[in-house]
Amino acid sequence: MFDSSIKILVVDDMMTMRKLVKKSLMQMGYSNIEEAADGQLGWVKLQETADVGLVVSDWNMPNCSGLELLKRVRSDNRFKELPFVLLTAESEVAQVREAMAAGVDNYVLKPFTFESLKEKLEQVYKKRHAA
Amino acid sequence: MSQSTEFDLLMIGVDDTTSKAIQPFTSDLRVRAITTPAEVEELIESIQLPPGMLVLVSSAIKELSQFEIGQALSSSYAGIHINFVTSERSTFDLTNLKKNGFTDTFLFPMDIKRIEERIETVKVNKLSAFKKYKAVKVVDIKSNQKLPFEVRTFLPLNNKYVKLTKDGVLSDKKAETLKSKNINSVFIDVREVEAFYDFAAEQMMSLGLAGNDAVSETEKQEQFQSNVRNLFRSFLDVSTTSGDLEQGRDLLEQSKKVVESYVIKKTGLDLRSKFREILGTGGDSYSHAQSVSTIASLLSMATGIGKPEEVAIAGLFHDIGKQGVGDEVSVFNCADLEPEVLATYHGHPRLSLSILREKRVTLIPLIAEMIEKHHERVDGRGFPGKVQAHKIPIEAQLLSYADAFEHLSGPHPGMKAFTPAEIHAKISAEVGISIEVLSRIEKFVISVAAPEGDQGPGKAPSAG
Ligand SMILES: [Fe+2]
Ligand SMILES: [Fe+2]
């Protein structure tokens, strides 16, 4: 699993969702967590704090969606390898293919549970470290 | 995660009209109403909702949609019921509500009857799974002494639990009230109830010991016997009281737990874990074993036959070899069995012993003998050995009595429960126990039926 000191950026326009993701991550032992309320702000946060090691982002947000944020991240050399997980509602599953093509590491279906989030993060870590 | 819930019903963003509509059903519940995003945030971050908690959500918080609240709650707490309630048809978007984690939806006024029923379930649950306090019989709770638990009493008119102790100390005045009002059961917080069982077991032990207390030996003996009677009575009460079944179960649990604690303290052997280790988590067989163990132990305390902790151990393991036959089979109904099944049944006392040997449970010879001979009869017609009276230790006969008592005292579908006298008569006639043992037990079992106040002249109705 990711080192517990890793900095994680949580991007979601819903306050409750950010709190939930944050709470789950803290229960997993992560304490270094940054929040952003949409893709645009998330992008700004990424530039400001160089050492983000994992992004967990909502898909459907005003201003800049999770997919757009992902595309921006992947097109920037500094963040090419940054692990990126999308939170998606059921209705967005059909679009997951597009996200895969854009280089997302994994996606978590909403409403998510602590276990499902943990499992997905473990998968991401394993895949990253198997190669 | 730290705060505990002190409410029965949680309402989030419920508008005034809707609140008023359901108000008649919630008046005797503790309701927590959340109306701001900050409160929702606090809820998610720091409050642990117990499974089964009923939550009503509506759309009165402008900054937060009902969908967001539904998602957040359903992701955050397992097993809670998230219900959407509204008086506005425009917010009643069924598909999206379900998709976002709502378990049910109510549109008023037409669903008013349904919400009433739903809220009614909270009141029922309050009495069982989510209740905070357990009923216990009063044991020797002395005043002006620090207890490891708080004691409460229930005021039915106000439907309220009131604390009698302050920081675990019962004042002389409150102790006097308990006594004068003849209060027999009090309530202990479920989180403190283990401490109570331990305390009660310790009291029993110290009463059983000779010592240089201020209390005389006779008084100690009386107190001890009164405690034993009280604990034993639960086995009868649970099926006979027309009153509060839930409370009956609490008191039965108290009896079992106190005896269990007593045995652990005396022998260091955790019977429950040992049993589970041997048999896995078999539900029903443990219940019979635990009851027989408790009854035998209490009978031993009352009559002085055997050592309470030893008969408790024998009681717990006596039927471990009975798995293949079925728990409901007993000496009272085995006549109807097929010959092969009957043979298996007759083999179970010895099978119990070989299973214990196999699992490397070492027992002192007397305990092994109690297990082996719990179905022998003094007339030589028992099983498995058909042994003669002089070869059946009185401890094995006591176990035999406890076993039969358990089968007869339980609830019998469609039948009136037996009184202690009826149970005793039936056992005397059918089980093959010596007159000596029967007469020693009889006095006790019959005395259990009498109200506590009738124990003797000049004795105040005991609070113990
Ligand atoms: Fe048996
Ligand atoms: Fe039995």
Side-chain angles (χ1 to χ4, degrees):
Chain A
M1 202 47 172
F2 292 102
D3 191 274
S4 65
S5 64
I6 188 177
K7 182 176 280 182
I8 305 177
L9 175 62
V10 178
V11 190
D12 201 310
D13 58 321
M14 289 195 198
M15 174 274 286
T16 52
M17 270 298 150
R18 289 199 306 273
K19 296 297 166 204
L20 265 180
V21 173
K22 189 175 169 184
K23 180 172 149 185
S24 299
L25 291 171
M26 290 181 84
Q27 277 174 26
M28 292 174 211
Y30 304 104
S31 51
N32 200 353
I33 299 162
E34 296 279 339
E35 294 178 47
D38 64 35
Q40 182 62 46
L41 296 169
W43 179 245
V44 173
K45 260 270 151 62
L46 267 181
Q47 323 268 350
E48 280 173 0
T49 47
D51 55 342
V52 170
L54 168 68
V55 178
V56 180
S57 172
D58 183 28
W59 181 305
N60 191 6
M61 292 180 288
N63 293 327
C64 166
S65 75
L67 184 62
E68 285 169 67
L69 176 63
L70 171 68
K71 285 178 178 168
R72 259 194 232 179
V73 162
R74 288 290 180 256
S75 65
D76 189 309
N77 269 330
R78 290 170 296 169
F79 306 125
K80 265 199 157 57
E81 297 299 317
L82 178 62
F84 198 111
V85 175
L86 271 174
L87 286 169
T88 66
E90 204 185 328
S91 56
E92 292 150 358
V93 169
Q95 296 156 276
V96 163
R97 223 169 254 197
E98 197 183 347
M100 290 296 185
V104 77
D105 285 83
N106 215 326
Y107 67 96
V108 179
L109 214 56
K110 286 200 290 191
F112 71 93
T113 61
F114 171 78
E115 282 75 24
S116 66
L117 182 62
K118 191 174 176 197
E119 194 187 315
K120 293 285 171 140
L121 292 186
E122 266 164 15
Q123 285 173 7
V124 171
Y125 181 82
K126 272 193 199 135
K127 233 198 266 169
R128 288 270 175 170
H129 289 77
Chain B
M1 306 291 277
S2 53
Q3 286 187 38
S4 64
T5 48
E6 270 155 7
F7 45 90
D8 313 308
L9 176 67
L10 177 62
M11 304 214 291
I12 305 175
V14 179
D15 52 277
D16 288 347
T17 321
T18 311
S19 286
K20 281 212 184 82
I22 59 177
Q23 214 263 324
F25 322 128
T26 59
S27 53
D28 46 358
L29 289 175
R30 298 167 304 171
V31 177
R32 166 93 189 262
I34 284 184
T35 53
T36 67
E39 286 175 302
V40 175
E41 192 177 329
E42 191 212 337
L43 176 79
I44 292 170
E45 281 197 329
S46 61
I47 298 173
Q48 195 52 47
L49 297 178
M53 168 64 76
L54 183 63
V55 188
L56 304 182
V57 181
S58 197
S59 44
I61 301 178
K62 288 197 178 52
E63 301 86 341
L64 283 176
S65 78
Q66 61 270 36
F67 305 123
E68 182 173 348
I69 295 170
Q71 269 194 29
L73 291 178
S74 59
S75 312
S76 210
Y77 307 104
I80 62 166
H81 304 288
I82 315 163
N83 301 273
F84 184 70
V85 290
T86 189
S87 313
E88 279 173 64
R89 184 170 279 282
S90 63
T91 62
F92 200 69
D93 176 354
L94 258 177
T95 320
N96 274 318
L97 286 168
K98 295 257 155 139
K99 199 177 272 174
N100 285 285
F102 286 93
T103 38
D104 211 345
T105 52
F106 299 84
L107 178 60
F108 301 141
M110 53 266 230
D111 288 335
I112 202 81
K113 190 77 203 149
R114 273 181 60 229
I115 197 75
E116 181 181 4
E117 285 164 13
R118 181 60 48 89
I119 293 171
E120 211 48 51
T121 63
V122 177
K123 295 178 191 170
V124 174
N125 289 341
K126 237 181 106 173
L127 293 171
S128 52
F130 311 115
K131 71 178 166 189
K132 290 189 65 170
Y133 305 114
K134 278 201 184 212
V136 297
K137 283 194 179 162
V138 180
V139 294
D140 330 294
I141 294 171
K142 295 195 179 64
S143 48
N144 291 322
Q145 153 194 338
K146 177 128 176 102
L147 305 164
F149 49 84
E150 303 285 352
V151 177
R152 285 171 180 79
T153 186
F154 183 65
L155 303 179
L157 287 180
N158 314 44
N159 197 26
K160 250 194 193 147
Y161 295 89
V162 181
K163 227 167 32 164
L164 290 171
T165 43
K166 193 166 175 279
D167 300 322
V169 177
L170 185 72
S171 69
D172 288 331
K173 220 178 123 200
K174 293 269 169 66
E176 213 31 67
T177 315
L178 261 185
K179 235 182 192 162
S180 66
K181 291 201 175 155
N182 202 5
I183 294 172
N184 281 316
S185 11
V186 289
F187 292 84
I188 311 272
D189 190 308
V190 290
R191 288 163 301 184
E192 293 180 336
V193 76
E194 292 291 334
F196 169 82
Y197 299 143
D198 257 11
F199 172 85
E202 239 151 55
Q203 292 285 318
M204 299 279 286
M205 283 177 65
S206 68
L207 287 170
L209 290 173
N212 46 5
D213 267 1
V215 199
S216 78
E217 289 307 318
T218 329
E219 268 176 303
K220 269 168 78 176
Q221 256 314 303
E222 269 176 19
Q223 190 62 258
F224 181 77
Q225 289 298 331
S226 161
N227 281 345
V228 173
R229 263 195 308 275
N230 258 328
L231 293 174
F232 194 85
R233 191 168 288 140
S234 311
F235 283 91
L236 298 157
D237 283 354
V238 74
S239 55
T240 55
T241 42
S242 53
D244 194 338
L245 188 64
E246 202 56 49
Q247 192 160 325
R249 289 202 193 109
D250 281 353
L251 299 178
L252 186 59
E253 187 183 356
Q254 174 189 356
S255 300
K256 293 177 178 180
K257 288 297 190 82
V258 170
V259 171
E260 194 177 280
S261 270
Y262 184 97
V263 174
I264 292 177
K265 280 177 201 299
K266 280 253 164 146
T267 63
L269 184 64
D270 183 349
L271 296 181
R272 180 186 295 260
S273 332
K274 202 80 215 165
F275 190 87
R276 290 269 145 85
E277 204 183 298
I278 294 171
L279 267 197
T281 45
D284 251 25
S285 54
Y286 184 67
S287 162
H288 170 68
Q290 194 192 20
S291 294
V292 172
S293 171
T294 310
I295 293 171
S297 189
L298 290 170
L299 287 176
S300 164
M301 290 176 191
T303 59
I305 298 173
K307 286 191 182 150
E309 60 278 16
E310 289 177 5
V311 295
I313 294 169
L316 196 76
F317 296 134
H318 76 284
D319 271 347
I320 263 185
K322 206 170 127 182
Q323 290 150 289
V325 192
D327 234 26
E328 64 290 347
V329 178
S330 74
V331 284
F332 297 107
N333 58 21
C334 63
D336 311 331
L337 294 176
E338 300 284 324
E340 316 83 85
V341 186
L342 187 65
T344 317
Y345 174 63
H346 282 167
H348 85 261
R350 283 189 180 144
L351 188 56
S352 293
L353 279 186
S354 46
I355 289 173
L356 289 164
R357 224 172 288 127
E358 209 174 282
K359 299 280 179 179
R360 299 183 187 283
V361 181
T362 24
L363 299 172
I364 62 164
L366 180 59
I367 295 180
E369 201 176 355
M370 282 187 248
I371 294 172
E372 190 184 352
K373 296 182 177 170
H374 78 268
H375 287 298
E376 296 293 354
R377 302 173 53 104
V378 290
D379 57 14
R381 287 168 43 230
F383 64 86
K386 289 188 166 38
V387 297
Q388 296 301 308
H390 68 278
K391 287 195 173 154
I392 311 172
I394 52 174
E395 293 87 348
Q397 296 181 44
L398 179 109
L399 180 58
S400 189
Y401 190 101
D403 191 16
F405 195 97
E406 201 280 331
H407 283 291
L408 295 172
S409 67
H412 306 276
M415 238 167 39
K416 206 171 123 276
F418 296 122
T419 66
E422 286 167 343
I423 295 177
H424 185 80
K426 209 166 158 61
I427 294 176
S428 306
E430 295 178 33
V431 183
I433 295 168
S434 67
I435 305 286
E436 183 212 344
V437 172
L438 281 173
S439 65
R440 282 170 78 175
I441 294 175
E442 181 175 17
K443 263 186 246 134
F444 170 73
V445 168
I446 303 298
S447 78
V448 164
E452 195 61 2
D454 298 351
Q455 289 312 313
K459 196 167 172 269
S462 171

